[in-house]
Amino acid sequence: MTFAYPAESNKAHPARLSPEYKSTVKRSPSKPLIIMRHTLSELTGPVYGHETVREGDADLTTQHKGEPIGERIIVHGHVLDEDGRGVPNTLLEIWQANACGRYIHVRDQHPAPLDPNFTGAGRAESDNEGYYRFVTVKPGAYPWGNHHNAWRPAHIHFSVFGYSFVSRLVTQMYFPGDPLFEFDPIFNSVTDAKARNRMVSAFDLENTKPEWALCYRFNIVLRGRNVTPMETK
Ligand SMILES: [Fe+2]
C-alpha cells in the first residue's frame, strides 16, 4: 500500500480556474490552497462497503425491461498505481448520458429523448489484478451552454477510489478521434497534451465481441507521474 503519494500528480490535473470553462470562474478558490499532511485514518480508513456492489451493476444495458437504444459497447481496463501495479478490489462508479446525449436529471432539459431502458449509472469492483469491465451504450454528445454552440465530446464519468479517500480520482473517459476535442474547454483544461490523451480510451478490436459489441480500453492511473487527470471542479 502506498503511504506517501508523489506530488507529480498535481501537474497533470487541470487548474482550478480555467476561464474558458465558465463555471470555474465563480467556484474556484481565490486564495492559495493550504496543503495539509495526510492523516493515518485518511490513508488507512475503509472507503466504501464492498457489499454494496451487486452482480449485474456493471451492465448498464440490463437494468430495465428492455434494452437501451444505441451502440452497445464494452469498456474495460486496469486500475493501476503510479508504478504500474494493478489496484485490486477497488470501487469504480460510472455515470453517463444516453445514446442521444441526454441525462436523467432535472437540470438536463435539452430537446433529446430520455430512454426508458437506460438509467446511465453503474458500478464495478476491480479484480485481483486491478481489472474491471462494464457493458453500456456509447453516450451521445450534448450541448451545455458554456458558450455559443458548445457541445461536450462523448464521455463517460468515472469515480475510482483506490486504496483510500486521498487516492480517489474523478475523471471523464473520452472516445478516440472525437471531432469535438479541440472545441471543448473541459477537455482542454488539462493543458498537457500527454496527460489529456490519458483520458482518451483506445479502440480495442481484439476484445470486441463479433455480432454483439465494440470494445474500448481505458486504463486508469491513480496518482503519480502517469496519473489520469482529474475532471475540473
Ligand atoms: Fe457529462
Side-chain angles (χ1 to χ4, degrees):
M1 184 183 290
T2 304
F3 284 99
Y5 287 114
E8 291 102 320
S9 308
N10 295 331
K11 293 180 197 154
H13 299 309
R16 289 169 190 84
L17 173 63
S18 300
E20 298 288 305
Y21 176 10
K22 285 192 180 145
S23 49
T24 68
V25 174
K26 282 191 176 164
R27 69 188 182 202
S28 59
S30 56
K31 295 189 175 160
L33 300 187
I34 298 168
I35 307 298
M36 310 285 285
R37 283 178 70 88
H38 297 317
T39 64
L40 194 60
S41 59
E42 276 179 322
L43 294 165
T44 61
V47 291
Y48 65 95
H50 288 66
E51 72 283 353
T52 58
V53 183
R54 292 165 305 187
E55 202 168 326
D57 283 356
D59 189 341
L60 285 70
T61 67
T62 54
Q63 295 174 348
H64 298 275
K65 266 191 186 158
E67 286 199 84
I69 298 293
E71 184 185 334
R72 188 190 297 112
I73 57 171
I74 298 160
V75 175
H76 72 158
H78 284 81
V79 182
L80 303 166
D81 68 14
E82 63 269 26
D83 297 317
R85 294 172 298 209
V87 179
N89 311 116
T90 193
L91 178 67
L92 296 105
E93 295 165 295
I94 62 169
W95 60 101
Q96 65 168 92
N98 68 23
C100 301
R102 177 100 185 255
Y103 285 101
I104 300 180
H105 192 284
V106 67
R107 294 278 303 275
D108 186 353
Q109 298 294 332
H110 91 276
L114 289 172
D115 184 340
N117 291 315
F118 192 70
T119 301
R123 291 183 294 190
E125 199 181 338
S126 62
D127 71 10
N128 287 340
E129 272 79 52
Y131 176 77
Y132 74 89
R133 182 179 185 270
F134 288 102
V135 177
T136 183
V137 294
K138 192 171 180 186
Y142 59 81
W144 63 300
N146 183 73
H147 53 275
H148 174 66
N149 205 16
W151 292 79
R152 294 299 329 282
H155 60 276
I156 298 177
H157 295 265
F158 270 74
S159 160
V160 187
F161 273 100
Y163 292 116
S164 69
F165 275 114
V166 295
S167 59
R168 187 184 181 201
L169 177 79
V170 181
T171 191
Q172 298 181 22
M173 183 203 98
Y174 296 89
F175 293 86
D178 196 311
L180 291 168
F181 283 158
E182 62 181 298
F183 309 109
D184 182 44
I186 295 183
F187 183 66
N188 290 296
S189 67
V190 176
T191 51
D192 180 79
K194 273 193 193 157
R196 225 167 28 235
N197 284 330
R198 292 200 288 273
M199 299 187 293
V200 182
S201 59
F203 177 57
D204 183 355
L205 182 65
E206 202 182 324
N207 288 295
T208 285
K209 270 200 167 182
E211 321 295 327
W212 195 73
L214 294 180
C215 182
Y216 293 87
R217 175 171 283 278
F218 185 51
N219 290 339
I220 300 160
V221 180
L222 301 178
R223 308 199 68 146
R225 69 187 66 82
N226 296 317
V227 68
T228 305
M230 188 81 74
E231 71 173 32
T232 312
K233 292 289 174 205

